[in-house]
Amino acid sequence: MKKVVANSDEAIRDIPDGATIMIGGFGLCGIPENLIRALARKGTKNLTTISNNVGVDGYGMGLLLSAGQIRRHIGSYVGENKLLEQMVLEKTIDLELTPQGTFSERIRAGGAGIPAFFTPTGFATIVAENKETRDFDGRMYVMERALHADFAFVKAWKGDKWGNLVYRKTARNFNPMMATAAKVTIAEVEHLVEVGEIEPDLVHTPGIYVKRIFQGEQYEKRIERRTVRKPS
Amino acid sequence: MQKPSKDLDKRERIVKRIARELRDGFYVNLGIGMPTLVANHVPHGIQVVLQSENGMLGIGPYPIQGQEDPDLINAGKETISQMPGTSYFSSADSFAMIRGGHIDLSVLGAMEVDEEGSIANWMIPGKMVKGMGGAMDLVASARRVVVAMEHTTREGQPKILKKCTLPLTGSKVVDTIATEMAYIRVTPTGLVLEEIAPGLTFDDVQKATESRLIPSPTIRTMEC
């Protein structure tokens, strides 16, 4: 079983134009920055991306956006990106906004074999338009469909050569669900270790979900909003 | 740039009033912006645990300069710290926690609230489409939903309306509204004015509100 690849360029070698790619991260936290940079280098286009946010201008997914590589995006909050707002108004990108909880569950369902589910979120809002709604025990719910992808770009803190992954703090976010919901999950990790080095009880994503893994070449781990307090 | 002190006073009053709703052992989600300030006024002797929708229970204070961790941010993408008792989990687990009704209190801002307790706080058609983030999930499922907002817009227009005009975040979900002028409870028969800020009358508050306010039988002055 050989899952380890040499680097980010190797990892994405076979991604074709028009692919659907899930990309982990919340804001800039926990983003697979090496895979994103490699995709920007490769220039793969007409992509459908599935990610909570779209980076910021000039970093993270903002790179793919400014290079015109994204045709369609599904996410829950895109406010940090002026370019995206502009592209939406100019109709050079198709944007689907989903409530963050629904977005999370759609991805989880996609990896878990659940084709659709009901959630109270968004009932009687525009989110429920054109969707089936149903009463359960006197409360109204909206039916939502699972999300799947051709590829998932996942960032973890540590991974072993079987693809077992451990995340760190709030860099976890969407990575675990995305790892399960794509045909090919590619994991980039800060620390790639030998099988047996991760305590089994501490594995967050079992390696069954991960097809390719590599140690990220370089981590900027940019901070979006640096907020501090004065020492007392 | 420092906010003018009048604005700061308004916000202080609002968040202090909301903090009085906190009970020992509450699990609370505080929305981006003004609601985060509620955390500065947790009453002495009680302990609440703050939940961050991006996958954390037990949010600590902003870190000291030099100790910022890029892997540790809140829902507003600000660097924060952890504390003893903190736990981390995925976004699916976070929203399962929210949607499953485990959050005792959710505090968020609003552009509009109406007399049925519907709230609009995520979009202005043609002007602003940033996305709804976690707000729709929170209002649909938290045990109590409290709105923290200024009573009127910058132009002096009411924000408490008969019916929301902007795209909704949630329909009939708000329990109470706290503004610098008033503390208002949403009931099946309409908006009940429970508390008025010192120096104001019922008429002052009603004039600044589009929907009809019902004076509570126990109407009193907001303690500030």
Side-chain angles (χ1 to χ4, degrees):
Chain A
M1 180 161 67
K2 190 179 177 306
K3 299 191 178 186
V4 179
V5 295
N7 52 47
S8 51
D9 292 309
E10 257 308 294
I12 64 163
R13 213 169 18 93
D14 58 347
I15 299 186
D17 287 345
T20 296
I21 310 180
M22 285 180 177
I23 300 179
F26 177 86
L28 303 181
C29 184
I31 62 168
E33 56 179 286
N34 289 286
L35 284 164
I36 295 170
R37 276 192 289 268
L39 197 59
R41 281 194 294 276
K42 189 167 179 286
T44 320
K45 51 194 200 293
N46 285 326
L47 298 170
T48 294
T49 50
I50 299 174
S51 190
N52 192 57
N53 315 99
V54 267
V56 296
D57 296 312
Y59 179 70
M61 284 176 66
L63 293 172
L64 305 175
L65 208 55
S66 56
Q69 292 173 256
I70 304 176
R71 182 174 47 92
R72 177 168 149 74
H73 180 77
I74 304 171
S76 91
Y77 191 82
V78 296
E80 277 90 15
N81 204 298
K82 297 270 169 288
L83 174 59
L84 180 57
E85 267 188 270
Q86 204 182 313
M87 289 172 74
V88 171
L89 293 170
E90 290 170 4
K91 294 191 168 42
T92 51
I93 194 170
D94 178 15
L95 177 65
E96 178 184 325
L97 291 170
T98 306
Q100 201 179 144
T102 300
F103 181 68
S104 303
E105 189 64 11
R106 291 178 74 190
I107 300 168
R108 195 202 74 82
I114 305 277
F117 58 91
F118 285 89
T119 170
T121 301
F123 177 73
T125 75
I126 64 182
V127 159
E129 263 166 33
N130 303 316
K131 291 178 186 160
E132 184 181 333
T133 59
R134 202 185 289 188
D135 177 320
F136 289 95
D137 302 323
R139 236 201 124 179
M140 294 304 297
Y141 296 81
V142 181
M143 193 181 84
E144 297 278 1
R145 298 297 308 274
L147 278 171
H148 304 272
D150 300 311
F151 296 88
F153 289 1
V154 159
K155 158 75 196 301
W157 173 59
K158 189 188 281 191
D160 69 21
K161 294 182 177 177
W162 268 18
N164 291 311
L165 303 176
V166 182
Y167 306 100
R168 186 169 179 271
K169 302 188 192 279
T170 59
R172 189 187 309 205
N173 57 71
F174 296 89
N175 290 295
M177 302 92 76
M178 289 181 173
T180 69
K183 295 198 190 83
V184 177
T185 292
I186 308 169
E188 63 168 87
V189 298
E190 292 182 53
H191 307 281
L192 182 61
V193 300
E194 295 302 320
V195 169
E197 282 192 48
I198 301 177
E199 185 61 44
D201 273 329
L202 302 182
V203 170
H204 294 150
T205 291
I208 190 170
Y209 297 112
V210 177
K211 295 275 187 310
R212 301 174 196 166
I213 186 166
F214 68 99
Q215 184 159 303
E217 295 94 318
Q218 178 200 332
Y219 283 102
E220 187 189 329
K221 292 177 76 169
R222 192 182 292 192
I223 289 175
E224 202 163 337
R225 285 199 188 105
R226 197 175 293 267
T227 41
V228 296
R229 74 178 194 276
K230 294 190 187 34
S232 47
Chain B
M1 193 178 78
Q2 265 280 69
K3 269 187 164 325
S5 69
K6 207 158 61 87
D7 280 354
L8 282 175
D9 289 341
K10 276 185 188 175
R11 290 156 77 100
E12 276 273 301
R13 184 176 305 161
I14 296 167
V15 299
K16 272 185 167 158
R17 177 59 188 85
I18 293 172
R20 284 176 37 221
E21 288 215 29
L22 299 173
R23 298 287 174 268
D24 187 49
F26 261 22
Y27 288 85
V28 179
N29 184 294
L30 301 176
I32 295 168
M34 198 198 320
T36 56
L37 302 175
V38 172
N40 299 339
H41 299 283
V42 177
H44 283 299
I46 76 163
Q47 188 163 44
V48 300
V49 180
L50 300 179
Q51 195 248 21
S52 196
E53 68 194 19
N54 55 315
M56 181 183 190
L57 266 178
I59 305 178
Y62 292 141
I64 294 169
Q65 180 121 31
Q67 301 201 349
E68 307 95 90
D69 184 338
D71 288 338
L72 187 44
I73 62 170
N74 64 15
K77 315 212 170 69
E78 302 172 316
T79 49
I80 50 172
S81 64
Q82 64 184 47
M83 54 193 293
T86 287
S87 56
Y88 297 107
F89 35 88
S90 73
S91 299
D93 286 342
S94 179
F95 283 93
M97 194 180 290
I98 290 169
R99 203 187 306 106
H102 303 279
I103 300 295
D104 295 295
L105 182 70
S106 170
V107 183
L108 15 63
M111 294 184 287
E112 298 177 343
V113 182
D114 69 28
E115 60 191 15
E116 291 184 307
S118 294
I119 173 178
N121 76 351
W122 74 279
M123 184 198 181
I124 303 175
K127 271 180 74 177
M128 182 192 93
V129 190
K130 294 187 190 289
M132 63 292 266
M136 287 190 174
D137 295 278
L138 284 158
V139 299
S141 302
R143 295 209 185 111
R144 265 183 83 66
V145 176
V146 176
V147 170
M149 70 177 189
E150 299 192 11
H151 206 94
T152 58
T153 67
R154 245 180 282 268
E155 294 83 30
Q157 293 304 303
K159 296 174 69 172
I160 303 174
L161 309 176
K162 287 201 202 310
K163 206 159 167 63
C164 288
T165 64
L166 295 173
L168 293 185
T169 305
S171 172
K172 303 176 193 169
V173 291
V174 175
D175 292 294
T176 58
I177 307 164
T179 75
E180 79 282 9
M181 294 178 83
Y183 184 81
I184 296 165
R185 227 167 24 94
V186 179
T187 75
T189 45
L191 299 180
V192 174
L193 180 52
E194 296 282 350
E195 297 175 21
I196 306 179
L200 296 180
T201 66
F202 178 92
D203 282 340
D204 291 328
V205 182
Q206 180 64 86
K207 274 203 196 82
T209 310
E210 193 197 60
S211 47
R212 187 180 63 94
L213 294 173
I214 303 163
S216 163
T218 53
I219 195 168
R220 56 204 173 279
T221 309
M222 259 167 113
E223 285 169 38
C224 295

